[in-house]
Amino acid sequence: MGFAALNPSYTCHELLPMTRKRPQELRSHRWFGVNDLRAFGHRSRLRQFGYDSQDWSGKPVIGIINTWSDINACHGHLRARAEDVKRGILQAGGLPIELPAMSLAEPMVKPSTMLYRNFLAMETEELLRSHPIDGAVLMGGCDKTTPGLVMGAISMGLPAIYVPAGPALRGNWRGETLGSGSDAWKYWDEKRAGNITEKDWAEIEGGIARSYGTCMVMGTAATMMAVIEALGLALPGASSIPAVDSNHMRMCAAAGRRIVDMVWEDLTPARILKPASFDNAIRVHMAMGGSTNAIIHLIAMARRAGIALDMQRFDDISREVPVLANVRPSGKYLMEDFYYAGGIRGLMAQLRERLDLTCLTVTGKPLADSLDGARVHLRDIIHALNDPVSTAGATAVLTGNLAPRGCVMKPSAADPRLLKHRGPALAFEDYNHMAREIDRDDLDVTPDHIIVLKNAGPKGGPGMPEWGMLPIPRKLLKAGVRDMLRLSDARMSGTSYGACILHVAPESYVGGPLAFVQTGDEIEVDAGARRIHLHVTDEELARRRSAWRPPPPHYQRGYGAMYSAHIGQADEGCDFDFLLAGERLPEPEIH
Ligand code: FES
């Protein structure tokens, strides 16, 4: 059931109140504005920084949650950009306080950044709750940082504006453009097939990441930045600005100015996020040909906001909205090109008739105002609705006896011949099993096989790693095979491509049917009919189920143990059960 069905009536555009907050109503007033011993201590500590009463009296305190770190090149510029945000806050009469948070560098954090998305969400929420903060600027962009920051901010409920890190410049190799991830996978396969040399490979390594900023294909980062803007939580056009463009600095300062007003207006995420704004975000996701990861994150964010959203809604909208952005991995260009073509505002202008333009944004105005004057300058990069890049759809949600609660695939990034296919399974029990076997010259595999990986889900990975673009066996690569049906309970990087079926729920680690697949079983996939079926009798499946024993737990203590005890499945957004929307938590006592 889609969430429109669960929420049959709503209006999105809520008129702002005519009155503005008074200084004594600021949350930070409880720390700095009262006349007692505790406030004396708080104020004296601000003076320790060299501040005077003019710096804080009656001014909103803005927390800048910054996910900069020395090991996250996607956010390498955010240390400097925080100064631009502060400039804007000061211009508008606020007091900026920068609060560093976990950086979640996608390529560096192991075993998976997804293990820590909820950690960042908790950190964001508690940083805001425990400090004298009236409003928040959320600085991030590398995959899980965006949902982590936004989920935490939704739960805290203070006015918040998201500042996207922005994509890096195009990669370059011998005059060819290179896209993060997508071209790494592509040339890795060419290297494994013996078609490029070690020297070529080293040159590609030096040319694929040319500037600070996020992956510059339509991966999870670009998708999530766009989706958050479509939800109304970022300034219009912010999400497409390349990280190193001077417009990015100006956008940061503008966000700093805007959050101060948002505090006076009490413009909280709860007033912006409505079912219709999530529909808008999903439509933009589909038109972008966005990452499958966005499904998990949007479900998690909606549920934090108390809005019921499930995978079926993505499938429904996928059938209505074709891919318009001609950006890798579904298309040809990169995010820098997308910006020059008109960026997210240009793309959303193509979808005008499909969007709810009354939805409120951080501007305090309806979405319609954000699209005023938006145009497309390069038609081969942003297509019109009547001339889409692909009608195959960015997302298909399949169900069947192998995935009772669903699984997803990205038809627009798959070889069309594999969208309807029946073949024998080649099953691996876990990642190490697959890694040991996949390149054996005597592997018994044909292009018609369906490669199956188990124990790669939220609990089994652990952290649902991005292993879902399972490797093509080397003997088939050498024979020229470049796509096969692949099936797992893992996620897939948004930069990945191919006929990969992901997010199988429930996962194999907890006894989902995927756990019982054996090599040689026939599996049938029909993306058009949204069906996946394991051709094994119910009796045989029951026999395998009764013989199955759960694998041992990954963690005995620490965060991992808490994660394992509380993590939800992919169709639920992989949030912790104790972080879902519920009673508003009390403000901390100030003693
Ligand atoms: Fe940071 Fe891709 S590695 S966005």
Side-chain angles (χ1 to χ4, degrees):
M1 190 186 331
F3 72 79
L6 291 164
N7 301 275
S9 69
Y10 53 81
T11 54
C12 200
H13 182 203
E14 182 186 349
L15 291 176
L16 288 173
M18 298 307 288
T19 55
R20 285 162 68 92
K21 218 173 225 181
R22 292 174 302 136
Q24 304 90 300
E25 293 170 327
L26 292 173
R27 188 169 176 269
S28 60
H29 181 80
R30 298 168 58 233
W31 272 262
F32 303 125
V34 293
N35 189 15
D36 64 13
L37 179 60
R38 276 285 155 238
F40 162 87
H42 302 147
R43 290 191 299 264
S44 70
R45 293 299 171 169
L46 285 185
R47 289 182 192 278
Q48 202 171 354
F49 279 107
Y51 288 132
D52 215 331
S53 61
Q54 287 98 322
D55 290 302
W56 71 74
S57 288
K59 296 190 171 187
V61 179
I62 306 299
I64 303 169
I65 310 290
N66 193 353
T67 53
W68 169 86
S69 91
D70 256 339
I71 201 163
N72 191 349
C74 304
H75 296 180
H77 55 311
L78 294 188
R79 187 184 216 178
R81 292 294 185 277
E83 299 306 313
D84 296 307
V85 173
K86 289 177 190 173
R87 175 162 53 91
I89 293 169
L90 291 168
Q91 286 169 355
L95 175 64
I97 305 277
E98 189 175 349
L99 298 164
M102 194 178 202
S103 191
L104 295 184
E106 189 66 29
M108 303 291 181
V109 171
K110 308 298 177 193
S112 159
T113 50
M114 190 62 186
L115 187 72
Y116 295 105
R117 182 202 65 179
N118 297 347
F119 191 113
L120 174 61
M122 291 173 74
E123 187 183 15
T124 301
E125 180 178 349
E126 299 307 329
L127 277 172
L128 296 174
R129 177 172 292 115
S130 58
H131 287 96
I133 301 297
D134 298 304
V137 177
L138 311 169
M139 301 188 73
C142 188
D143 292 22
K144 313 306 175 294
T145 56
T146 300
L149 288 164
V150 171
M151 288 161 69
I154 292 171
S155 292
M156 183 53 202
L158 296 175
I161 191 167
Y162 171 66
V163 167
L169 297 179
R170 303 179 191 100
N172 174 63
W173 180 52
R174 299 179 183 170
E176 298 283 327
T177 57
L178 294 177
S180 321
S182 303
D183 283 305
W185 320 131
K186 178 176 137 187
Y187 286 108
W188 177 242
D189 279 351
E190 295 307 323
K191 182 170 172 290
R192 289 169 68 219
N195 296 336
I196 64 167
T197 66
E198 285 294 341
K199 181 168 177 298
D200 296 335
W201 182 239
E203 285 180 11
I204 292 168
E205 182 177 310
I208 201 166
R210 291 177 48 230
S211 77
Y212 289 146
T214 64
C215 292
M216 75 303 266
V217 296
M218 192 64 73
T220 305
T223 305
M224 289 309 300
M225 291 190 288
V227 152
I228 298 300
E229 181 175 331
L231 279 174
L233 295 178
L235 288 176
S239 64
S240 340
I241 306 172
V244 294
D245 192 304
S246 65
N247 282 296
H248 196 269
M249 299 178 210
R250 287 188 282 279
M251 178 271 291
C252 288
R257 288 191 293 273
R258 181 62 199 140
I259 186 64
V260 176
D261 275 340
M262 287 173 68
V263 170
W264 292 125
E265 294 161 2
D266 199 24
L267 184 51
T268 59
R271 298 181 57 194
I272 294 173
L273 298 176
K274 306 291 175 186
S277 39
F278 278 92
D279 266 5
N280 284 346
I282 298 169
R283 290 196 166 95
V284 166
H285 169 238
M286 297 304 165
M288 303 273 278
S291 162
T292 44
N293 282 320
I295 300 171
I296 295 177
H297 300 319
L298 273 166
I299 289 174
M301 289 188 288
R303 290 178 180 210
R304 289 288 184 111
I307 294 169
L309 175 60
D310 60 27
M311 296 208 295
Q312 188 55 46
R313 189 65 183 155
F314 291 81
D315 193 88
D316 294 345
I317 292 180
S318 173
R319 293 170 189 267
E320 294 167 17
V321 180
V323 179
L324 303 183
N326 192 4
V327 178
R328 295 178 214 178
S330 292
K332 176 175 165 192
Y333 296 98
L334 295 172
M335 289 306 293
E336 187 182 346
D337 307 301
F338 181 76
Y339 176 59
Y340 302 144
I344 184 71
R345 290 176 66 248
L347 179 125
M348 288 175 76
Q350 308 312 297
L351 291 175
R352 241 191 206 107
E353 64 201 61
R354 310 273 175 105
L355 298 176
D356 186 333
L357 298 175
T358 67
C359 285
L360 195 60
T361 80
V362 287
T363 62
K365 301 193 177 85
L367 178 61
D369 291 29
S370 302
L371 301 184
D372 262 359
R375 288 181 48 207
V376 171
H377 310 296
L378 300 166
R379 267 293 169 208
D380 192 33
I381 301 173
I382 300 176
H383 286 222
L385 263 178
N386 60 6
D387 176 32
V389 175
S390 164
T391 51
T395 301
V397 176
L398 318 183
T399 51
N401 67 346
L402 199 40
R405 283 163 54 181
C407 57
V408 303
M409 93 179 285
K410 192 169 176 176
S412 59
D415 183 337
R417 88 180 164 84
L418 295 169
L419 297 179
K420 187 169 167 48
H421 180 77
R422 177 171 174 163
L426 174 61
F428 298 106
E429 293 305 311
D430 57 29
Y431 185 87
N432 289 335
H433 180 206
M434 178 183 72
R436 276 195 311 274
E437 302 277 319
I438 199 79
D439 280 346
R440 273 180 30 203
D441 289 335
D442 61 347
L443 192 66
D444 187 11
V445 63
T446 70
D448 285 338
H449 270 88
I450 298 174
I451 305 178
V452 174
L453 176 66
K454 308 178 191 178
N455 293 313
K459 287 192 185 188
M464 212 179 171
E466 292 186 336
W467 293 334
M469 192 173 79
L470 309 179
I472 309 272
R474 185 163 57 198
K475 68 185 267 191
L476 295 181
L477 275 178
K478 284 182 175 167
V481 176
R482 290 295 181 270
D483 201 2
M484 292 175 73
L485 259 180
R486 289 161 271 179
L487 173 65
S488 72
D489 43 18
R491 292 175 303 115
M492 171 171 94
S493 164
T495 65
S496 301
Y497 50 84
C500 305
I501 299 174
L502 315 154
H503 306 186
V504 171
E507 64 178 310
S508 53
Y509 188 85
V510 300
L514 190 68
F516 315 128
V517 177
Q518 296 178 357
T519 292
D521 290 348
E522 287 277 314
I523 296 175
E524 187 174 0
V525 170
D526 185 342
R530 303 303 198 246
R531 186 163 170 273
I532 183 164
H533 188 77
L534 177 66
H535 285 277
V536 172
T537 62
D538 291 345
E539 297 71 35
E540 173 60 14
L541 273 180
R543 191 192 65 72
R544 292 181 193 178
R545 182 183 295 279
S546 64
W548 179 81
R549 296 288 170 270
H554 288 290
Y555 300 102
Q556 299 295 343
R557 62 171 294 279
Y559 173 76
M562 184 184 84
Y563 171 95
S564 302
H566 296 284
I567 192 70
Q569 290 291 296
D571 61 314
E572 302 165 320
C574 295
D575 204 354
F576 290 152
D577 50 14
F578 59 88
L579 290 176
L580 299 175
E583 285 289 299
R584 196 182 167 91
L585 292 180
E587 282 286 330
E589 299 285 341
I590 299 182
H591 297 304

